[in-house]
Structures are given as structure tokens and as C-alpha cells.
Amino acid sequence: MPPVSARLPVFPWDRLEPYKATAAAHPDGIVDLSVGTPVDPVPELIRAALADASDSPGYPTVWGTAVLRDALTGWVERRLGAAGVTHTQVLPVVGSKELVASLPTQLGLGPGDRVAFPRLAYPTYEVGARLAGAEPVPYDEPTELDPAGLKLLWLNSPSNPTGRVLSKDELRTAVAWARAHGVLVVSDECYLELGWEADPVSVLHPEISGGSFEGLVAVHSLSKRSNLAGYRAAFLAGDEAVLGELLKIRKHGGMMVPAPVQAATVAALGDDKHVTEQRERYERRRAALRSALAGHGFRIEHSEASLYLWATRDEPCWDTVGALAELGILVAPGEFYGAAGERHVRVAFTATDERVEAAVRRLAG
């Protein structure tokens, strides 16, 4: 039997290791702006909720507790602007990356089916298609796709890696086109609460959805907005027929969010104060790095939202990665996100204040 991994590209981050070693050799240490992992403390109220629920000897349910589902539906209504959201329209998942990678398989897609995603995109969209044996199809504009055999259309706003935010008109057009052709829209909105120069909107907002979740699923994560990447806390909201089918499959697979993490999610979604405080940290770091990069000869494109600056010096991305590594700064080559990114780098602003200040000094020197 041929290995399933043979369907997949080389894991991109392994290619960054030599540059990481170069950056780590800097006398003042590495400034790692590559992966974008949260570095700030988990808010105390979330840690307290996790600890209070730590005596959880029994199996959790795949659908989550009623309290969790109340928190999910309440947040979707309050934050995304949807109305009348029910428990059948939400589903907790074990981190958004697991969901993205396995969704085509869980939807029953396979050879002969097509999965579309932005030409510059999080690489796991393609991985999910390949794991299922479906055809991955990158696009520039979704409405220019051939709908034949197209079963799943990924949207991503705010975008990883570019930080681009789709306008309401762009979202409406994509949703209308997909519905007209019977294509399921899954919108990755994990950075929705991190808009800087734009106000991102969910596909579940009534102005986009028309008041119906039919054919629409939104993916949300607490990793970035609440510093919970280590908790693997995420959820889906949208079409109850799709989520109901996923729930049945996930029950058989035992895909359960741990009970303490469910309790932590309830606490996180019920508190906006920590989100505001974290946004302020990121906003300061973003401004400092953006100015320093511009002073060092970079042009910043898009980047109106998310946790990244999409930067270029109009040279091959690996040349840029190498030059910054010599300064002890590690960034992600744009090529990781598709061939269209071959002359850009993605710069995360998730490092500590001290490391961001170090990067700014090095870029100025």
C-alpha cells in the first residue's frame, strides 16, 4: 500500500531550519517572526476555568456541553451579527488546523471532486484536498472557477498570509455564485477579530448570508484572539445539515474537545476585555515592525488585518529570508503559501515586546 504522505508536498517548515540556525547564531539571539505562535500569557480567567474543570474523569461529548454550545451561539450572534443561531448550527473542533486538513475527507470527497482555495493561501487547504484524493484548485477570483466537480470553496478573510480582507461585495458575490452552482462555502475567519485598517465581516453576517446559513460554514479559532494555540480550541458555525453530518462522523471518530478546554472556551468567549488588551499589544508591535521594515527598504502589501505583514523587496523570497537571518531575524518565505508569493515574505508580529524591539534595532542598524 503506497504511503498516504506520498500525496503531500514536503512539509514546508523543514526547509527553514538552516536559516533558523543562522538566525540563532546572532550574538543577541534569534528574533523568530516566522510561525506566528502566540507568546503572551493565557489570560487568568481562562486558566482558572481550565483548572476548575480539571477533575474530568469521564469522556466529553463531541458536540460539547450545553453551556459550551450556549457560549458558541451567543458569540456568533454578538460578534458576527447573525440572528437566531441554534445549537445545531455550531460544532466545537480540536483546533482549526485539524479541521482544515480533514474536512474534505469528512465531507466524503475523493477522486473526481475538486476543492478550491486562494492562490496565496494557508497550505493546509491543499493538504486537505490531497489527503482526500480530491483535486486541489487554486484561484484568483472564485467566480472565475469552473464549477464542474467543484464541491468545496475555501474563502479566507482576513487572509493568511497576506492580511487581505474581502469586502462585503466580494463576499456576497462569492456566496451567491457558490449557491447558484451548489458549492459548499467554508470561510476561514480565524483572524476576524484582528482587523487594523479594515473591519472584517463573516459570511454568516445577514448582509452576506441573506439571513440563511444554507451552504455556508465559518471556521473560528481561539488560538490568536485569546492566546490559546496550546489548548486547540476552535469551532464551526453555519449550515446545520453540514454540521449535523460532521457531528455524526466525528462521534464515530471520537473527535472530542477535552472537557477542561470546553470550559476554558466558555470563559474566553464570554470575556472581551482580554481580547482588547491583546489587540493593543499586537497593534504596538505591528506599528513598530511595519515602520522598521519600511525603513529597511521593504514594501508592505495588504496587511490590513491578521497577525502578519506581507513584505517584499522585489527579490526572490529565499534571498530575503537569508538576508534577514544574517540579522538574527527569521521570517517565512512567501513561497510556502503558493508560487505567487515567491517574491514576498510573511513577517509575524507575535514575538514579545523585547524581541520586537531587538528586530527594530537590527533593521535600523
Side-chain angles (χ1 to χ4, degrees), residues 313-329:
R313 290 196 304 195
D314 296 309
E315 65 185 5
C317 61
W318 288 104
D319 290 354
T320 308
V321 170
L324 290 175
E326 293 293 337
L327 297 177
I329 300 170

Side-chain angles (χ1 to χ4, degrees), residues 96-224:
S96 58
K97 184 169 186 175
E98 171 270 318
L99 184 281
V100 172
S102 63
L103 183 61
T105 298
Q106 292 182 43
L107 291 173
L109 305 189
D113 297 322
R114 301 164 72 231
V115 175
F117 48 84
R119 191 168 300 281
L120 273 169
Y122 185 47
T124 312
Y125 304 136
E126 178 180 354
V127 166
R130 292 189 180 279
L131 283 173
E135 178 188 354
V137 183
Y139 66 78
D140 294 308
E141 294 293 337
T143 56
E144 296 174 357
L145 287 163
D146 179 356
L150 185 62
K151 298 297 178 64
L152 172 58
L153 171 65
W154 281 104
L155 301 180
N156 180 208
S157 176
S159 163
N160 175 14
T162 69
R164 180 188 174 201
V165 173
L166 297 177
S167 69
K168 288 182 178 179
D169 283 344
E170 288 174 307
L171 288 170
R172 271 193 295 265
T173 299
V175 167
W177 181 89
R179 282 174 165 169
H181 295 287
V183 178
L184 175 66
V185 172
V186 181
S187 179
D188 182 347
E189 302 174 353
C190 290
Y191 296 91
L192 185 131
E193 294 195 275
L194 295 164
W196 312 111
E197 299 164 12
D199 187 15
V201 179
S202 171
V203 293
L204 303 184
H205 191 285
E207 292 185 24
I208 310 303
S209 68
S212 167
F213 289 176
E214 182 180 359
L216 304 177
V217 174
V219 182
H220 285 272
S221 168
L222 282 73
S223 292
K224 312 299 186 183

Side-chain angles (χ1 to χ4, degrees), residues 17-158:
E17 286 301 314
Y19 300 91
K20 185 175 183 178
T22 298
H26 189 278
D28 187 36
I30 188 172
V31 179
D32 193 341
L33 308 178
S34 61
V35 176
T37 188
V39 297
D40 298 301
V42 173
E44 178 57 38
L45 85 161
I46 300 175
R47 283 186 278 168
L50 184 84
D52 289 346
S54 62
D55 185 15
S56 298
Y59 291 111
T61 64
V62 172
W63 201 15
T65 63
V67 173
L68 173 60
R69 283 178 264 133
D70 282 342
L72 297 179
T73 56
W75 187 88
V76 170
E77 291 185 348
R78 176 171 57 86
R79 185 61 186 84
L80 304 187
V85 184
T86 67
H87 283 197
T88 58
Q89 294 171 317
V90 293
L91 180 64
V93 297
V94 190
S96 58
K97 184 169 186 175
E98 171 270 318
L99 184 281
V100 172
S102 63
L103 183 61
T105 298
Q106 292 182 43
L107 291 173
L109 305 189
D113 297 322
R114 301 164 72 231
V115 175
F117 48 84
R119 191 168 300 281
L120 273 169
Y122 185 47
T124 312
Y125 304 136
E126 178 180 354
V127 166
R130 292 189 180 279
L131 283 173
E135 178 188 354
V137 183
Y139 66 78
D140 294 308
E141 294 293 337
T143 56
E144 296 174 357
L145 287 163
D146 179 356
L150 185 62
K151 298 297 178 64
L152 172 58
L153 171 65
W154 281 104
L155 301 180
N156 180 208
S157 176

